[in-house]
Amino acid sequence: MEQELKLALERPTDLEPLLMALPEPRAVIRQSNHYLVCEDGRTGQARVMVRLRTEERAERTTACLTLKRRVRSEAGVFLSWELEEPLSLEHAHAVINDGENLMEVEHAGTQWLARELEIRSLRLQGSLLNLRHVIDFSGYVLEVDESQFPDGSVEVEIEIETEDPEGARSAITQLCAQEGIALFEQTLGKYTRYLQKG
């Protein structure tokens, strides 16, 4: 299980002041999130998000396949079942650029989908771009995400994977209050917001 606190900036333009107030990022990652669904809607019915992500860092580009199912969310704290494993760039590009069926790739994620949901084919539904700043702050690892949605809108949120969400919330809200940065509890994941903006 993965537990994350998600807090969003009311004004995305506050991203720069937030980054100025935080320590230097240990990494800046350009992510392309590509969402896949099956033709008969089984992934949606099972509430399983299938994401193929490529990440561009200063030194390399990688890809991974993620399956995620929300267990619960409350007050910006998300508890989710997640399966995430690396995928070769060759296979990732074949799915993203050439429209190949991901289910033909031998992978822990495709094996789970075939076994649990009897899925045989996945198609690319759409994509969003994300610029992630990974920052160590007050004993927590912050992922500050600037997400660009297909409709042209931009949102900024802070994600912290932690067993101590209230401690993380206190540290972040205190810093943002000092800087005059307004926050709200994020209640929706990126994929759900992608669907709403589609």
Side-chain angles (χ1 to χ4, degrees):
M1 290 289 179
E2 174 194 66
Q3 180 169 267
E4 286 184 310
L5 171 67
K6 299 188 180 189
L7 301 173
L9 273 61
E10 288 189 7
R11 299 178 298 271
T13 51
D14 280 340
L15 173 60
E16 186 173 349
L18 174 64
L19 293 176
M20 291 291 291
L22 288 167
E24 189 77 14
R26 72 156 93 142
V28 179
I29 308 167
R30 294 189 179 277
Q31 299 175 328
S32 297
N33 294 333
H34 306 280
Y35 300 110
L36 298 105
V37 293
C38 58
E39 296 289 348
D40 61 6
R42 292 188 190 187
T43 46
Q45 292 165 9
R47 301 181 64 83
V48 174
M49 182 273 293
V50 183
R51 181 187 67 212
L52 177 53
R53 170 182 281 172
T54 58
E55 293 190 337
E56 298 176 26
R57 302 171 187 250
E59 67 279 8
R60 69 188 188 282
T61 300
T62 58
C64 68
L65 176 64
T66 301
L67 311 182
K68 185 176 285 193
R69 176 187 274 156
R70 177 95 47 84
V71 175
R72 68 172 183 268
S73 64
E74 182 178 358
V77 180
F78 290 66
L79 183 66
S80 304
W81 170 85
E82 182 179 80
L83 189 160
E84 184 170 84
E85 294 288 341
L87 184 71
S88 74
L89 283 174
E90 179 184 0
H91 285 135
H93 290 155
V95 173
I96 297 165
N97 300 324
D98 303 329
E100 291 196 10
N101 178 12
L102 178 64
M103 293 302 296
E104 295 179 1
V105 178
E106 189 74 13
H107 186 277
T110 56
Q111 290 170 354
W112 187 92
L113 290 166
R115 182 179 66 251
E116 300 294 331
L117 303 183
E118 298 183 350
I119 290 172
R120 297 289 176 264
S121 177
L122 288 169
R123 64 176 175 82
L124 185 63
Q125 184 179 28
S127 309
L128 69 83
L129 301 177
N130 190 59
L131 184 63
R132 170 165 289 177
H133 297 79
V134 182
I135 301 171
D136 296 306
F137 174 70
S138 195
Y140 302 96
V141 179
L142 278 55
E143 295 174 337
V144 181
D145 288 351
E146 181 183 25
S147 301
Q148 299 180 23
F149 290 84
D151 67 352
S153 62
V154 175
E155 296 182 5
V156 176
E157 67 183 343
I158 305 166
E159 296 185 356
I160 308 103
E161 186 173 343
T162 177
E163 295 299 316
D164 178 27
E166 295 314 312
R169 186 196 307 273
S170 176
I172 294 301
T173 54
Q174 184 177 350
L175 172 72
C176 287
Q178 292 171 353
E179 300 296 325
I181 296 171
L183 297 172
F184 66 92
E185 295 170 348
Q186 182 57 267
T187 60
L188 303 173
K190 286 186 180 68
Y191 180 57
T192 301
R193 286 178 278 147
Y194 162 82
L195 292 175
Q196 289 181 344
K197 295 169 181 286

